[in-house]
Amino acid sequence: MSAPKIRLGINIDHVATLRNARGGVLPDPLRAAHLAAEAGADNITAHLREDRRHIRDDDIARLVAELDSPLNMEMAATEEMTAIALEAKPHAACLVPERREERTTEGGLDVLSQEATLAPVVAALGDAGIRVSLFIGAERPQIAAAARLSAPAIEIHTGGWCDAVTEGRDKDAEREWQAIADGARYADSLGLEVHAGHGLDYDTAKKISTLPEIVELNIGHFLIGEAVFIGLAEAIRRMRAAMDKGREAVRLREGDSVA
Ligand code: PXP
């Protein structure tokens, strides 16, 4: 297959975490979003949690109204969040678990046990023109369930893999990597668009960009941390370069051209 240029979504939640630590309005997540877009982000991701621990309702409203880049709103599949998304109409919505019972042991959304709850949410958001992705572990039954719901995209949870890499648990890291690679191929074969995210840094983002099925990465915590030392724009440029390097390896391997 020909590997498209991989998109970079910047998650700005933790700019809001910092703001909320002090109360008040600084640092402003919207300013971070503008800066991220200028530095090469393809979209901006923000998670409106039920407890509003970082992003707040007015942040979502301002991001939709004032940002030129597409907004990917992460949200639980609740009535409240669905109503907010239908009102705000972000470009995309990524359905994520918030409560224990909504997630698998891998930490992704348990689509299998929640198909009936998720179906109307996926349909309502899709009917409103919002591109839906489901944040799931790379297990085939979960991926098949996402396809049955006609979700256009999944986001593979990379947290377990990234933790294993960081902690030097090589065997676990290899097992998790093989599962991600298999899950990406399987999802692609079912016609799902494949995204990935959680816990990625420069090295893991570069490596995961070598999977040709992956078209989007969503990255937050590492980059906001890097921003403390080298600035957000530079951190995003380095991330972009790492991802492009990974994708270049696919091109060289397959002799195809990066779109
Ligand atoms: N994708 C999803 C669905 C997430 O929930 C998160 C964390 O908010 C991320 C990506 C980004 O993860 P991190 O902040 O670890 O880069």
Side-chain angles (χ1 to χ4, degrees):
M1 68 170 290
S2 127
K5 187 172 190 287
I6 191 159
R7 297 192 297 265
L8 172 57
I10 300 295
N11 181 312
I12 54 166
D13 290 351
H14 296 306
V15 178
T17 302
L18 210 51
R19 174 195 61 192
N20 298 357
R22 178 57 69 92
V25 295
L26 299 176
D28 184 2
L30 187 67
R31 182 174 173 197
H34 282 303
L35 199 150
E38 275 165 31
D42 298 295
N43 43 271
I44 300 299
T45 294
H47 184 181
L48 186 65
R49 297 188 68 104
E50 289 176 71
D51 62 6
R52 310 305 199 264
R53 77 174 65 151
H54 35 59
I55 295 293
R56 300 187 300 229
D57 300 56
D58 60 314
D59 293 323
I60 295 291
R62 286 194 308 143
L63 285 164
V64 169
E66 296 174 37
L67 194 69
D68 291 331
S69 310
L71 176 68
N72 174 33
M73 177 178 158
E74 288 179 8
M75 54 178 271
T78 59
E79 250 177 57
E80 183 203 14
M81 288 301 153
T82 306
I84 291 171
L86 290 175
E87 169 82 26
K89 289 211 171 46
H91 167 77
C94 179
L95 300 183
V96 300
E98 290 213 350
R99 284 181 291 268
R100 281 267 140 226
E101 61 272 22
E102 295 168 345
R103 69 180 66 145
T104 61
T105 45
E106 286 76 17
L109 198 57
D110 192 351
V111 186
L112 265 184
S113 75
Q114 294 181 80
E115 276 189 65
T117 322
L118 291 168
V121 177
V122 172
L125 295 172
D127 288 349
I130 300 168
R131 188 211 59 202
V132 179
S133 64
L134 301 176
F135 184 51
I136 58 177
E139 308 101 58
R140 285 184 173 226
Q142 297 291 346
I143 295 167
R148 279 197 298 279
L149 289 180
S150 301
I154 60 163
E155 179 165 324
I156 295 181
H157 194 321
T158 51
W161 172 56
C162 292
D163 284 349
V165 171
T166 310
E167 293 160 17
R169 290 184 280 110
D170 295 347
K171 276 194 182 146
D172 291 343
E174 183 54 25
R175 185 175 33 79
E176 299 267 3
W177 170 252
Q178 292 303 336
I180 290 170
D182 175 75
R185 275 192 302 272
Y186 180 59
D188 182 66
S189 76
L190 297 178
L192 290 159
E193 187 172 297
V194 191
H195 309 168
H198 208 282
L200 294 168
D201 61 13
Y202 299 130
D203 291 338
T204 45
K206 180 179 166 192
K207 178 150 183 177
I208 204 163
S209 300
T210 65
L211 297 178
E213 296 85 6
I214 305 260
V215 301
E216 178 177 313
L217 298 181
N218 284 297
I219 308 176
H221 184 265
F222 172 77
L223 288 175
I224 303 305
E226 276 289 277
V228 173
F229 304 108
I230 61 171
L232 185 56
E234 180 58 21
I236 290 171
R237 277 193 288 272
R238 289 187 193 184
M239 182 57 77
R240 177 84 260 169
M243 289 162 56
D244 288 346
K245 238 179 171 168
R247 190 68 4 144
E248 178 72 3
V250 181
R251 195 181 69 74
L252 293 175
R253 199 168 65 216
E254 299 186 345
D256 68 4
S257 57
V258 177

